[in-house]
Amino acid sequence: DAGVTQSPTHLIKTRGQQVTLRCSPKSGHDTVSWYQQALGQGPQFIFQYYEEEERQRGNFPDRFSGHQFPNYSSELNVNALLLGDSALYLCASSLVQGSYNEQFFGPGTRLTVL
Amino acid sequence: AQSVTQPDIHITVSEGASLELRCNYSYGATPYLFWYVQSPGQGLQLLLKYFSGDTLVQGIKGFEAEFKRSQSSFNLRKPSVHWSDAAEYFCAVVVPSGSARQLTFGSGTQLTVLP
């Protein structure tokens, strides 16, 4: 059973460009959350998708947007890249039902903005 | 303000020594509590979690954590550290009443294990 997968592994972009990161959830999971982890810091919640809609959003600008597809996979898009967007982007999947379900994390995509 | 604090940025221990990593939270009600480990180039792996009940919880890889309501703490412990435990450790919380139940992480503690 494949866990959470993310692509690409690494990405280098220049300021002002746009980027799309992809995530496939663990089999059977229907919810995808995205986190940004800057160097030396803990992950910060960007947003969560369920039933192809954004359920909740953290303190991130509108330059960060997402999408969830019918097969539950998800994309994170970042427009007008800034140097400060350089980070490890983590995707986590879970099941929405129940009091709380563990979030399983992928290995992340390392984004470098030059 | 709601927050998760890990006071120790970096801890160094000798292999075989005991370990305690500190975590304090500041929330109106007791949140769900978690410890994750992150090795270089890897995602986050859940070590253990606390929702309610017994305040001493056992996790994987020989780790345990104790919830102390009076101190708003959830410290991670291991009686004897192995070289393979070298990694970064994150304490995290979830507010049970939130709809998305997103994880809020501390800033992490980097663990170095000396031979």
Side-chain angles (χ1 to χ4, degrees):
Chain A
D1 175 27
V4 179
T5 59
Q6 293 186 243
S7 63
T9 305
H10 295 87
L11 205 52
I12 299 175
K13 293 285 188 179
T14 56
R15 282 177 296 174
Q17 285 189 311
Q18 178 264 345
V19 68
T20 297
L21 311 181
R22 295 175 177 82
C23 171
S24 291
K26 183 178 170 65
S27 177
H29 284 184
D30 56 10
T31 302
V32 173
S33 303
W34 286 93
Y35 294 82
Q36 180 197 65
Q37 185 178 16
L39 198 61
Q41 297 184 23
Q44 286 193 296
F45 175 74
I46 303 175
F47 42 53
Q48 184 182 85
Y49 276 83
Y50 169 66
E51 290 188 332
E52 302 180 45
E53 290 190 357
E54 183 182 293
R55 282 216 311 173
Q56 192 154 340
R57 188 181 187 91
N59 189 26
F60 280 81
D62 291 345
R63 297 187 298 109
F64 289 78
S65 63
H67 188 78
Q68 186 180 34
F69 299 93
N71 67 352
Y72 307 118
S73 66
S74 177
E75 289 182 350
L76 164 65
N77 300 292
V78 187
N79 294 322
L81 284 167
L82 303 174
L83 295 179
D85 295 331
S86 295
L88 180 67
Y89 288 84
L90 296 165
C91 168
S93 73
S94 58
L95 269 172
V96 73
Q97 292 182 344
S99 58
Y100 179 79
N101 286 288
E102 178 182 345
Q103 294 188 31
F104 289 79
F105 284 82
T109 293
R110 173 74 61 187
L111 172 65
T112 302
V113 182
L114 301 177
Chain B
Q2 299 178 335
S3 65
V4 181
T5 303
Q6 293 182 247
D8 304 306
I9 297 173
H10 194 181
I11 282 183
T12 300
V13 299
S14 297
E15 191 169 18
S18 64
L19 171 70
E20 182 169 25
L21 303 182
R22 296 183 290 165
C23 173
N24 293 94
Y25 63 90
S26 174
Y27 283 84
T30 300
Y32 297 153
L33 298 157
F34 306 82
W35 275 98
Y36 283 85
V37 61
Q38 186 177 38
S39 299
Q42 309 236 349
L44 293 160
Q45 182 182 23
L46 180 67
L47 288 175
L48 45 78
K49 60 193 176 198
Y50 174 79
F51 291 173
S52 65
D54 191 350
T55 57
L56 185 64
V57 294
Q58 302 296 321
I60 62 171
K61 304 185 179 185
F63 285 93
E64 66 178 27
E66 185 172 13
F67 168 63
K68 293 185 177 180
R69 186 187 305 275
S70 61
Q71 298 177 19
S72 297
S73 70
F74 188 56
N75 293 350
L76 181 71
R77 301 194 295 244
K78 188 169 185 178
S80 177
V81 170
H82 188 262
W83 64 266
S84 61
D85 293 325
E88 184 141 31
Y89 292 80
F90 292 95
C91 180
V93 307
V94 165
V95 177
S97 59
S99 60
R101 297 179 179 148
Q102 70 268 22
L103 288 156
T104 299
F105 288 86
S107 55
T109 297
Q110 182 69 47
L111 174 65
T112 297
V113 180
L114 300 177

